[in-house]
Amino acid sequence: MNQVEICFSPDLIQHYELEGKTVVVVDIFRATSTMVAALANGVKRILPFADLESCRVMQDHGYRIAGERNGHTAPGFELGNSPVAFLNDAYAGIQLAMTTTNGTQAIEKSKGAAEILIGAFPNLQATVAYIQAQQKDVLIHCAGWKGRFNLEDSLYAGALVKSLESSHSADEDGALAMKSLFEREGHRLKEYLSQASHAKRLQNHGIEKDIEFCLTFDLYDLVVKVDQNGFLVSIRYSSTKF
C-alpha cells in the first residue's frame, strides 16, 4: 500500500521527502479554491509566483494579474484571490499570473516532487481518483497561515486521507489525527470552520460567498496540476472512474 502524510505548514516542508511523491498543495481559504474555480471556468493556465513584483511584471507579457496579501487585493493588481470572481466563465480564455499570501509560497516550496496537484473541496473526488490511478506516495502540503497551522487546510487534508483509505495507508500522527477530525466534523464542515481564524478574517472582509464556495464539495470533475513548465493546468478526470 502507498503512504499518505501531511505537512501542516510550508515552514515544516524541509522535514519531508518530496522526491518520487505526489504533493497536493492546499490553501482552502482561498488560493487553491480560486485556482480550481478559474481553470474550471475557462482560464487557460495560471502561472504562480511567490512574490508580488515578479507577478506584477507579467502584465507586460499579456497576462491578467491576480495578487493577494493578508486577504486583500494587492495594490496595482487587477484581481485578488476570490474564487467567485471567476465563475460563469468571467475570465475564460485568459492567461493568469497569480501570487497569494500563503498558497503560491507552498507551491514554490513543493518543487522537487514527482508531481504537484492543487487541492480543493470543489474537485476533491476527481483528485482522489487521479491519485489512486498514479499509485504514488502522497504528501499533503497545507499552506497554513504565515507559517502556522490552520483548521481549513488541515481538515481538507483529513478528508483526502479518509477518501484515500482504500489505497493509501496513513501511519503518521498528523494524518491519523486529521482523518479522525474529519470523520467527526466533516458532516458539519461549514459550521465547524466558521470558528477558524482565517474564516473570521474573511467574514470581516464581507466575502461570505467565497467561503461558501470554498467549502462546497465536488462541483468539478477536473484535476489541477503543475505542468513541466510550471503552469497550473486542468485536466478533465471523472471522479466515478474508481
Side-chain angles (χ1 to χ4, degrees), residues 69-98:
R69 287 297 183 270
N70 300 316
H72 297 282
T73 301
F77 282 78
E78 175 187 3
L79 294 162
N81 189 21
S82 169
V84 301
F86 291 92
L87 300 183
N88 302 312
D89 296 337
Y91 292 91
I94 71 162
Q95 296 185 104
L96 184 68
M98 185 175 182

Side-chain angles (χ1 to χ4, degrees), residues 162-221:
K162 172 68 175 174
S163 298
L164 289 171
E165 62 184 352
S166 67
S167 58
H168 288 70
S169 175
D171 297 328
E172 53 99 19
D173 290 354
L176 291 170
M178 290 306 105
K179 177 187 172 187
S180 295
L181 183 60
F182 180 76
E183 287 172 338
R184 193 181 74 194
E185 304 293 351
H187 68 285
R188 60 180 200 109
L189 194 63
K190 293 173 186 177
E191 179 185 356
Y192 183 73
L193 285 177
S194 67
Q195 63 192 315
S197 57
H198 196 38
K200 291 177 180 176
R201 291 186 200 100
L202 296 178
Q203 287 164 354
N204 290 336
H205 298 163
I207 47 180
E208 287 80 5
K209 288 183 179 178
D210 281 356
I211 296 172
E212 182 80 15
F213 177 89
C214 292
L215 298 181
T216 302
F217 284 78
D218 300 321
L219 293 171
Y220 308 118
D221 270 343

Side-chain angles (χ1 to χ4, degrees), residues 99-120:
T99 181
T100 70
T101 305
N102 302 294
T104 57
Q105 326 296 320
I107 293 171
E108 179 67 26
K109 290 187 175 184
S110 296
K111 291 179 178 177
E115 188 167 44
I116 302 172
L117 305 181
I118 301 302

Side-chain angles (χ1 to χ4, degrees), residues 22-98:
T22 296
V23 171
V24 182
V25 174
V26 53
D27 184 356
I28 293 300
F29 295 151
R30 296 166 285 166
T32 57
S33 302
T34 299
M35 292 163 182
V36 169
L39 290 165
N41 282 273
V43 168
K44 286 183 178 178
R45 58 184 185 174
I46 301 171
L47 190 57
F49 288 92
D51 68 283
L52 288 166
E53 199 50 47
S54 297
C55 187
R56 198 190 318 270
V57 300
M58 296 305 293
Q59 192 170 32
D60 299 329
H61 300 281
Y63 286 75
R64 308 290 281 272
I65 56 171
E68 172 268 329
R69 287 297 183 270
N70 300 316
H72 297 282
T73 301
F77 282 78
E78 175 187 3
L79 294 162
N81 189 21
S82 169
V84 301
F86 291 92
L87 300 183
N88 302 312
D89 296 337
Y91 292 91
I94 71 162
Q95 296 185 104
L96 184 68
M98 185 175 182

Side-chain angles (χ1 to χ4, degrees), residues 145-164:
W145 176 256
K146 296 184 176 181
R148 299 180 182 181
F149 171 95
N150 72 22
L151 271 178
E152 63 273 14
D153 295 350
S154 302
L155 262 177
Y156 172 89
L160 187 52
V161 171
K162 172 68 175 174
S163 298
L164 289 171

Side-chain angles (χ1 to χ4, degrees), residues 123-142:
N123 71 332
L124 173 62
Q125 289 307 317
T127 302
V128 169
Y130 180 86
I131 288 171
Q132 289 178 326
Q134 309 313 305
Q135 299 182 357
K136 290 185 174 70
D137 290 341
V138 172
L139 174 63
I140 307 166
H141 187 179
C142 299

